[in-house]
Amino acid sequence: MSVDSVEPVRSWVRSGADRIASSLRFVVGDTPAAVGLVVLVTFAFLGVFGPAIAPHDPIRYSVQTGQGAIARLQSPTLAAPFGTTAYGKDVFSQFLAGARPTFVVGLFGGVATGGVGFLVGLVAGYFGGTVDEVLMRLTDLTFSLPFMPMALLLLTFVQPNIWVITAIVAAFLWKMPARVIRSEVLSVSERTFVRSAKASGAGHLRTMFVHVAPNVLPIAFLYTAYGVAWSIAAQASLAFLGFGDPTTTSWGRMLRQVFASGSIRVAWWWVIPPAVGIAAVTTSVFLIGRAYEEVINPEISEQSQ
Amino acid sequence: MSQFQRFLAKRIGIAAALTLVAVTIIFFTLRLLPGSPFTQLVASGNLSEQQVAEILSLYGLNQPLHEQYLIYLQNLLTFQFGYSIRQTRPVWEILGPKLFNTLILLVPALVTTAVLSTLLGMYAGWNRGSWLETGSIVTTTFLRSTPVFITALLFIIVFSYTLDLVPAFGMREITASPDGFAATYLSVDFLHHYLLPFTVAVLYYSGDFLLLARNGVVEQKGSEFLKLHKAKGLSETEQLLRTGRNSLLPVLTYFALRLGMIFQGLILLEVVFGWPGIGRQLVTSISQQDFPVVQAAVFLMALAVIVMNLVADVLSAYFDPAVTAGGGS
C-alpha cells in the first residue's frame, strides 16, 4: 500500500477521533445529556451483568413468607426489596435480569438500523439517478407499511425471540437514517474535494467511503443512537402486547404481566421498576442525541448567541 | 403542464403505486400464515364436507390464489372489505365505528398539541438557555421517547387508582348503553373517560412539535431578516411572531405526517385504556386470526400514511417552490 492511499484513512481516523472527543466534551457540558450518559452507562452495566447479579432466578424462584407459603403481591420488604409479583416472584431479580433482552435488542437493533440506513443513504445520494430513485421508493414503501401492525402480523407466525424482534425492528426503521444521510450526502457530493477526487480518477467505492462517508458519519452515529431508543421502545411495546420472547424476562414482559394480571391496581412496586427503566433509557438516548445534534448541526449551533 | 402540476402528477402516481405494493404485501403475508381460521372449525368435525365447502366459497377461499388476489384488489377499490370470520357481519360494520372512535380521540389531541407545543417551542427557542427552555425540552423528550403505554400506565396509577379522579378503562361506563351518535359522544360519562387518554396523547405528541418550532426559531435568530425587524422597532412579541411564521412550514408538514400515522401510532394507548378504536380492534383480530378484519385495518392504516405523505409533500412544494424545482424526489 502506498503512503498516498494510507494517508486519507489516517486522517479519517484522526478526525473521527477528534470529533468524538470534542462531542463527548460537549455532551458532558450539557447537564441533561450528562445525566443521560450516567443512566446509559448504568443500563449497559445491567445489560451485561444484570442476570449474574440478580439474587434469585427471575422465573423459577418464588419468594416465601415466614410460614413457608408463596409470598404473592407483597410490597417491598428486606427479603424482596422491590416486592413480589402476583405469582410470588422477586421483582428485583426480574428487574435485573430483564435488562438484558432490552439491552440486546436496543444495541443490535440500533446498530443495524444505523448501519443499513447509512449504506442505503450513502449509495442513493452518491450515485443519484435510477439507483437513488429505486432506493428512495423502497424507503417510501417501508414508510407506508405501518410498523406496529406489520410487526404483529409477522410475529404471529414466527416464534418471537430477541433476534427475530431485532431483525424486524431493523427491517422497518432503517428508513429514517437513510433519508437524512442521503440528503446530507447530496450536499457533500457537491463540495470541491469530492469533485476533485472524482476528477483525479478515484473509484466510486474509494470516493464514497474515503471522501464522502467521513462527512456524514456524525449523522450516522446520531441515528444509530436514536435507533437504539426506537428498538428498545419497539421491543417493550411488542412484549407488552404479548408478542415478546416468551422464554425470557424483559422489562416489557414484566409490564405485560402486571397489566394482564390486573395487579396494576395495587402493585405499584411491580410497575415502577420496569417502567422507569425503559423510560430512563430511551429518554437518555434522546437527550444525548439532542446535545450531540447541536454540535454537528451548524445551523443550530453557529447562530446561537 | 406547469412544474407544480408535473410534480403533483408524479407524486400521485407514486402514491398509487405504493398503495398497490403495500396491499399486495399485506395480502400475501396473511395468506402465508399457517392455518386459516377455519382449520380449527373444520378439525372440530362438527361440519359436513358440504358445509365446509359452502363456508370456504362464501369467503372466496376455494379459488386459486391469484383469483383471490384480483377479487381482493377489486374489493379494496370499492372499500368492500368482506365479512368478518368471527363475527359474521361486514368488516366495515365493525371497523367503521372503531375508526371513528380513534379519530375522535386522536385528531383533537393532535390539533391541541400542535397549537400549544408549537407556541411553547417558539417561546423556548426565543429564550434560549433559560430554565424554561431546558425544562420543556427535557420534559417533552421524556414524553416522546418513552413508549406511550408506559406514560399511560403511570398516569393510570396516579390519576385513576391513587387519586380516583377518572376511570382507567373504556369509553363509556360498562352499564351505559347509548343509542345513536349524540348519546354516545355527548355525555359527561364519555368526557370523563376521554380526559386521561386525551391528555396522554397530547403529551406524547408534544415533543416533536416543540422541538421543530424551537429549532426553527433558533435557526432564525440573528438572521438578516430579524435584524431588519429589530431595526424597524418591532416589539419582542412581534419579532417572535414573524420569526415563528417563517418556521411554520415544517410544523405544518409534520402535522400532516403525524395525521397519517394516527391509526397505527397509538395502538398501545388504545390497548392500555381499553379504548374501542381501530388499533385495539386490530390486536384483537390478529389474536383471533380474523384476517378479513386484519387485512382491512392494516390497509386503512397504510392508506392513511400514503395519503398524508402525499399531502405533506404537496404542502411543502406548494409553499416552498424550491422543492418542485429540484424535481422533488
Side-chain angles (χ1 to χ4, degrees):
Chain A
M1 236 183 182
S2 67
V3 179
D4 180 49
S5 69
V6 174
E7 191 44 44
V9 179
R10 236 185 236 153
S11 68
W12 201 88
V13 173
R14 205 180 304 131
S15 73
D18 280 354
R19 217 179 271 140
I20 292 170
S22 76
S23 41
L24 257 186
R25 234 172 286 133
F26 185 89
V27 165
V28 172
D30 179 293
T31 317
V35 173
L37 203 58
V38 174
V39 172
L40 273 197
V41 170
T42 316
F43 172 63
F45 177 81
L46 285 185
V48 177
F49 299 107
I53 55 176
H56 304 293
D57 185 285
I59 297 172
R60 273 190 292 266
Y61 175 83
S62 299
V63 183
Q64 307 202 325
T65 61
Q67 287 77 39
I70 291 176
R72 295 176 196 277
L73 288 181
Q74 195 182 55
S75 52
T77 57
L78 275 181
F82 284 5
T84 65
T85 73
Y87 316 104
K89 310 296 173 191
D90 180 25
V91 174
F92 184 60
S93 300
Q94 290 204 341
F95 174 74
L96 290 177
R100 179 168 290 171
T102 315
F103 175 74
V104 171
V105 174
L107 185 66
F108 289 97
V111 169
T113 303
V116 175
F118 172 71
L119 285 179
V120 172
L122 186 62
V123 170
Y126 178 81
F127 286 106
T130 321
V131 177
D132 184 33
E133 188 74 16
V134 170
L135 288 175
M136 282 305 109
R137 292 298 82 81
L138 199 63
T139 58
D140 283 349
L141 180 66
T142 52
F143 263 105
S144 46
L145 284 173
F147 168 70
M148 195 45 85
M150 291 310 285
L152 293 178
L153 275 187
L154 292 171
L155 289 174
T156 51
F157 71 106
V158 182
Q159 173 72 23
N161 66 46
I162 50 177
W163 302 111
V164 170
I165 293 171
T166 306
I168 291 179
V169 168
F172 278 94
L173 297 184
W174 58 268
K175 60 202 175 182
M176 312 285 224
R179 268 201 184 166
V180 179
I181 286 165
R182 169 186 171 271
S183 68
E184 201 71 4
V185 168
L186 284 180
S187 78
V188 171
S189 301
E190 290 307 305
R191 285 192 223 154
T192 343
F193 66 90
V194 176
R195 291 187 165 182
S196 64
K198 271 194 215 172
S200 68
H204 284 312
L205 270 183
R206 187 183 158 80
T207 316
M208 215 160 47
F209 284 99
V210 178
H211 298 281
V212 179
N215 294 286
V216 297
L217 265 191
I219 303 232
F221 281 140
L222 180 68
Y223 275 83
T224 301
Y226 287 161
V228 169
W230 294 328
S231 309
I232 290 174
Q235 188 263 351
S237 304
L238 288 169
F240 182 76
L241 290 176
F243 292 82
D245 185 335
T247 59
T248 56
T249 305
S250 72
W251 290 347
R253 197 168 144 74
M254 289 174 74
L255 288 169
R256 169 172 180 78
Q257 289 181 333
V258 64
F259 184 71
S261 69
S263 310
I264 186 171
R265 282 175 180 278
V266 283
W268 55 267
W269 59 86
W270 185 5
V271 182
I272 303 295
V276 169
I278 294 168
V281 172
T282 48
T283 307
S284 297
V285 171
F286 275 96
L287 286 177
I288 296 171
R290 196 194 52 78
Y292 184 63
E293 209 164 349
E294 304 231 335
V295 189
I296 60 178
N297 184 348
E299 279 181 341
I300 298 181
S301 55
E302 276 167 20
Q303 291 180 2
S304 58
Q305 307 103 325
Chain B
M1 268 207 301
S2 76
Q3 204 157 39
F4 181 71
Q5 280 168 329
R6 234 191 337 256
F7 167 85
L8 199 61
K10 186 183 166 200
R11 283 280 121 176
I12 291 175
I14 290 172
L18 276 179
T19 313
L20 182 67
V21 178
V23 297
T24 306
I25 291 177
I26 295 166
F27 177 85
F28 285 104
T29 310
L30 280 165
R31 290 310 181 282
L32 287 173
L33 287 173
S36 84
F38 298 111
T39 325
Q40 217 183 347
L41 203 64
V42 175
S44 71
N46 291 333
L47 299 172
S48 70
E49 234 163 81
Q50 203 204 336
Q51 280 173 311
V52 172
E54 266 173 27
I55 294 179
L56 290 184
S57 77
L58 184 65
Y59 289 99
L61 293 172
N62 55 346
Q63 281 152 356
L65 200 59
H66 68 273
E67 298 260 334
Q68 286 187 36
Y69 175 66
L70 287 179
I71 295 169
Y72 160 80
L73 286 187
Q74 201 180 352
N75 288 345
L76 282 187
L77 278 178
T78 49
F79 279 78
Q80 300 284 315
F81 296 126
Y83 284 83
S84 155
I85 290 166
R86 293 283 154 159
Q87 304 190 29
T88 47
R89 44 186 190 132
V91 168
W92 188 243
E93 230 174 70
I94 300 171
L95 284 186
K98 308 278 163 152
L99 206 57
F100 187 79
N101 289 342
T102 296
L103 289 175
I104 204 169
L105 175 63
L106 296 181
V107 172
L110 200 53
V111 172
T112 309
T113 200
V115 174
L116 292 184
S117 46
T118 301
L119 288 176
L120 183 63
M122 281 163 54
Y123 189 77
W126 194 255
N127 297 289
R128 196 132 197 255
S130 65
W131 66 266
L132 181 122
E133 195 211 11
T134 316
S136 66
I137 286 178
V138 172
T139 315
T140 55
T141 301
F142 166 81
L143 290 164
R144 88 177 171 133
S145 53
T146 303
V148 70
F149 74 93
I150 289 182
T151 320
L153 288 177
L154 295 176
F155 269 65
I156 287 181
I157 289 185
V158 173
F159 293 102
S160 296
Y161 297 141
T162 308
L163 300 175
D164 201 17
L165 289 175
V166 280
F169 195 85
M171 198 176 82
R172 294 290 310 262
E173 279 303 314
I174 299 170
T175 48
S177 52
D179 222 13
F181 180 85
T184 311
Y185 300 107
L186 300 174
S187 73
V188 178
D189 181 30
F190 176 79
L191 183 69
H192 207 197
H193 284 78
Y194 189 75
L195 281 175
L196 206 51
F198 173 78
T199 310
V200 173
V202 166
L203 292 175
Y204 177 70
Y205 288 133
S206 65
D208 292 317
F209 288 106
L210 185 123
L211 278 182
L212 269 179
R214 175 247 179 207
N215 289 354
V217 168
V218 168
E219 272 172 32
Q220 285 182 27
K221 282 200 93 174
S223 64
E224 295 302 315
F225 158 84
L226 202 62
K227 281 183 194 144
L228 175 72
H229 282 309
K230 212 179 262 176
K232 282 201 310 205
L234 293 181
S235 75
E236 281 260 318
T237 320
E238 280 169 322
Q239 287 178 43
L240 171 58
L241 285 179
R242 305 220 167 182
T243 316
R245 205 173 53 196
N246 276 10
S247 43
L248 274 188
L249 183 58
V251 173
L252 200 63
T253 45
Y254 186 75
F255 180 81
L257 292 179
R258 265 290 163 204
L259 205 57
M261 291 192 270
I262 207 160
F263 301 131
Q264 47 160 320
L266 296 181
I267 291 175
L268 284 125
L269 184 84
E270 295 185 357
V271 170
V272 172
F273 284 110
W275 191 264
I278 190 170
R280 185 158 166 263
Q281 182 62 48
L282 176 75
V283 174
T284 315
S285 299
I286 285 181
S287 61
Q288 296 177 340
Q289 295 204 323
D290 193 345
F291 65 70
V293 179
V294 172
Q295 200 160 268
V298 178
F299 167 70
L300 289 173
M301 290 173 178
L303 188 67
V305 174
I306 294 172
V307 170
M308 292 319 290
N309 269 341
L310 178 69
V311 171
D313 276 354
V314 172
L315 272 181
S316 46
Y318 187 77
F319 288 108
D320 184 0
V323 179
T324 32
S329 60

